[in-house]
Amino acid sequence: MKRMKVALVTIMFACTLSACGQTEDFGNLQMNMDGSTKEIGDVQMDVDDSTKEIYEEKPQVISGEAEADAHEEESGDYDAGAELERLTGEYEYLSDHGTGKLAIAKTAYGYDISDYESESSYRFLADLSNVETIQDNRIYLKYPEQVLSDGTAVFGYYILEYGTDEINVYYGTDSFDEAAFLYHAVKKTVKKNDVTADDLLDSFVNGLVSAVDSADLTSTFYITDLNMDSEEWDAYSIGEKVDLDNDGENELVINGPYGGIYLDARNNMVYEFAAGDGNAVVLSYTCYNGAVWIMYSNRSSAGFESYHMEKFEGADNLTAEMNFGEEPADFNNAEAGMKYTLNDAEISYDEYTELCSKIFAAEVNTN
């Protein structure tokens, strides 16, 4: 009975409004300062001539699940990391200040996307948190260009439309839909002898390029793939630059577990030149007979030591190898003493000691 009364009251109220002709579409009205009304569009606030126009729309409150569905429907499935990894590098464009630089670099927290109009001024310093979506070869960046005193932000809307080694950048103050062409950037290519080995190695350290495994050219890694500068035992850190392959150009030492990694720059790429691999393959380098040698040490077993050394003249040109070590002369007889070898030939204790004194005196440990 109670429900019937409520229904009757509701019907009577609707009829009364209809009869009086008082219904209005309140969702399409906006109250002006003079009391008049107009249809609601975007609300525009002109603070003064020097202040950007701020466009806002009333936010809709939707559930997290619905929001995720809406985002997926709008952008489709995409892997931001995979897309940005393909685009890492520096892109140059003509700016009012000379040559501008758009850079996409991998970091420990994802990817940085920066735009410097000159060495001293930037347009934006964005990261993955500013990426709204990536679809159809376009990166959509919503970047806070100004934060007002009340905590609200004035956003700039950037679209980075990418192709092969080039990016077109569009910019809008209101939305992505009204973004207009801003500039065309071309990926900075490295021609032979245009860049030094040091420059390439610095690019690796800065996350701009990856390193390639010389033994497997399909295997690559960025510096952010390494556990850098932590307190853990297997952490890596940037070491010195030194000519490890006797070619007159420096290689980069990444200090780390089992001697770390040595990187070489050649043919406009960074290569893994040498790496430690467990207690039986500990990496270091030394100077012997006037040249730098790469050394791998195995001291994993008590009473047994073996060493392998390699001399290069260019990282892809191995010119000499040497093996030496010591082990029990008879593993079943402790009183048999030790056996010393050089390149599989047995040598005396004095010869072995003299050899080791020369090699280990100049050894550089890169753990």
Side-chain angles (χ1 to χ4, degrees):
M1 178 65 70
K2 184 176 181 180
R3 292 180 179 176
M4 292 178 61
K5 290 181 179 180
V6 172
L8 288 172
V9 171
T10 302
I11 294 171
M12 294 174 62
F13 180 71
C15 291
T16 302
L17 288 176
S18 177
C20 296
Q22 299 299 314
T23 56
E24 293 283 358
D25 186 355
F26 293 102
N28 291 324
L29 296 179
Q30 173 182 313
M31 184 65 68
N32 291 331
M33 295 300 293
D34 60 359
S36 63
T37 62
K38 66 177 182 178
E39 292 187 0
I40 290 180
D42 292 332
V43 180
Q44 177 175 318
M45 301 169 59
D46 295 330
V47 181
D48 55 41
D49 291 338
S50 63
T51 305
K52 289 186 176 181
E53 296 176 343
I54 306 174
Y55 292 81
E56 297 178 347
E57 59 181 350
K58 187 174 181 180
Q60 277 188 301
V61 180
I62 59 177
S63 69
E65 190 175 73
E67 185 176 14
D69 291 342
H71 181 75
E72 183 177 351
E73 181 178 340
E74 175 185 341
S75 63
D77 293 332
Y78 70 93
D79 185 341
E83 290 295 299
L84 291 173
E85 182 164 350
R86 294 195 302 109
L87 299 172
T88 54
E90 294 184 0
Y91 300 76
E92 294 181 337
Y93 63 91
L94 185 63
S95 74
D96 294 336
H97 307 280
T99 301
K101 182 180 74 173
L102 175 68
I104 300 176
K106 189 173 184 181
T107 69
Y109 306 100
Y111 289 84
D112 283 347
I113 307 172
S114 58
D115 182 351
Y116 283 87
E117 296 180 275
S118 68
E119 291 185 359
S120 59
S121 65
Y122 64 87
R123 183 176 278 110
F124 59 77
L125 301 174
D127 56 34
L128 275 177
S129 67
N130 304 118
V131 176
E132 292 284 286
T133 186
I134 301 177
Q135 59 177 340
D136 299 329
N137 288 356
R138 290 186 171 193
I139 302 169
Y140 293 82
L141 291 177
K142 184 179 178 182
Y143 183 75
E145 298 183 325
Q146 182 183 3
V147 178
L148 304 179
S149 59
D150 61 359
T152 59
V154 179
F155 288 97
Y157 297 83
Y158 294 88
I159 301 175
L160 279 59
E161 182 181 53
Y162 54 90
T164 303
D165 296 335
E166 62 182 357
I167 296 178
N168 289 325
V169 177
Y170 302 82
Y171 172 69
T173 58
D174 180 19
S175 67
F176 293 118
D177 290 337
E178 56 89 49
F181 178 78
L182 191 60
Y183 64 78
H184 174 75
V186 178
K187 193 167 188 177
K188 187 177 180 181
T189 57
V190 181
K191 297 180 181 178
K192 192 172 183 180
N193 299 326
D194 272 1
V195 67
T196 65
D198 280 355
D199 291 334
L200 282 170
L201 295 172
D202 288 342
S203 293
F204 173 83
V205 171
N206 294 327
L208 295 174
V209 299
S210 61
V212 180
D213 186 343
S214 299
D216 180 7
L217 298 182
T218 63
S219 176
T220 63
F221 63 91
Y222 283 87
I223 192 169
T224 50
D225 295 323
L226 305 176
N227 179 16
M228 297 297 297
D229 298 316
S230 75
E231 298 298 325
E232 300 173 10
W233 73 270
D234 61 346
Y236 292 86
S237 62
I238 303 300
E240 63 178 340
K241 290 177 180 175
V242 61
D243 183 8
L244 297 172
D245 59 3
N246 307 291
D247 67 349
E249 293 187 332
N250 286 333
E251 280 67 51
L252 174 65
V253 174
I254 307 290
N255 298 312
Y258 312 116
I261 302 170
Y262 301 165
L263 298 175
D264 176 66
R266 63 183 187 276
N267 301 325
N268 300 328
M269 297 181 68
V270 177
Y271 292 88
E272 180 185 279
F273 172 43
D277 188 18
N279 291 324
V281 188
V282 177
L283 179 65
S284 63
Y285 68 91
T286 188
C287 185
Y288 176 67
N289 285 347
V292 176
W293 293 64
I294 305 301
M295 183 161 68
Y296 300 93
S297 303
N298 180 3
R299 301 187 183 100
S300 58
S301 301
F304 174 87
E305 295 180 4
S306 66
Y307 306 93
H308 175 72
M309 292 173 53
E310 298 176 343
K311 184 180 75 170
F312 292 83
E313 294 179 6
D316 54 353
N317 183 24
L318 177 62
T319 58
E321 296 182 81
M322 184 167 66
N323 295 287
F324 62 99
E326 62 179 87
E327 61 182 270
D330 185 346
F331 285 93
N332 297 318
N333 182 6
E335 296 180 358
M338 301 296 291
K339 180 174 69 173
Y340 307 96
T341 59
L342 172 61
N343 294 329
D344 296 326
E346 191 168 345
I347 60 176
S348 69
Y349 170 77
D350 291 338
E351 290 173 321
Y352 182 77
T353 302
E354 182 181 0
L355 175 66
C356 289
S357 66
K358 293 178 180 178
I359 292 173
F360 295 131
E363 182 188 14
V364 177
N365 189 312
T366 54
N367 282 327

